[in-house]
Amino acid sequence: MVDFVDGTAFNHEQGHRARKLFAAVVLAALDDAIADDKKYGNGPEQIARWARSRDGREVLSCAGIDPNERVVRGLMEFVGRGVRTSVALSREESERRHSQEQAEAA
């Protein structure tokens, strides 16, 4: 019984690690599309093409993201904003957006 619980916990942890790895691939694809957008002006189209491809759908699924058209539009909007993922995920950016939303609401 103890071996079963240990094995299940190990497999669960391995699944989490794999999901994080695929999420990192998605973030890298977003950064590449943002770089393409700044250089060539076609970033949103690039990320949409990738997300709709077989490989892109599989990576999104493995990252725990449902690869539907709503997700593709969200990825395109994110790339269109031009904010790199490392900046968008930082606390400073989050606080800046929050204060901007409060100022707009007032």
Side-chain angles (χ1 to χ4, degrees):
M1 180 69 172
V2 173
D3 290 336
F4 173 74
V5 172
D6 288 344
T8 302
F10 178 76
N11 288 339
H12 186 325
E13 187 63 31
Q14 288 292 94
H16 265 342
R17 284 193 207 115
R19 186 169 288 143
K20 285 182 183 180
L21 177 67
F22 281 104
V25 172
V26 173
L27 293 176
L30 285 168
D31 278 343
D32 288 348
I34 290 168
D36 281 352
D37 194 38
K38 289 181 180 177
K39 193 171 187 180
Y40 304 113
N42 66 348
E45 293 82 19
Q46 289 286 68
I47 198 68
R49 187 176 310 125
W50 175 80
R52 290 177 180 133
S53 72
R54 180 184 297 168
D55 290 338
R57 287 192 317 254
E58 186 154 348
V59 168
L60 288 169
S61 293
C62 290
I65 302 168
D66 185 26
N68 57 36
E69 199 56 35
R70 181 175 174 227
V71 169
V72 173
R73 284 193 308 270
L75 292 172
M76 291 174 69
E77 288 176 20
F78 184 85
V79 170
R81 284 191 220 124
V83 179
R84 301 206 47 107
T85 58
S86 58
V87 174
L89 295 173
S90 70
R91 175 175 281 173
E92 293 84 17
E93 178 69 14
S94 175
E95 290 172 353
R96 185 191 66 76
R97 276 185 281 160
H98 182 68
S99 64
Q100 182 181 9
E101 289 170 2
Q102 285 181 340
E104 289 174 0

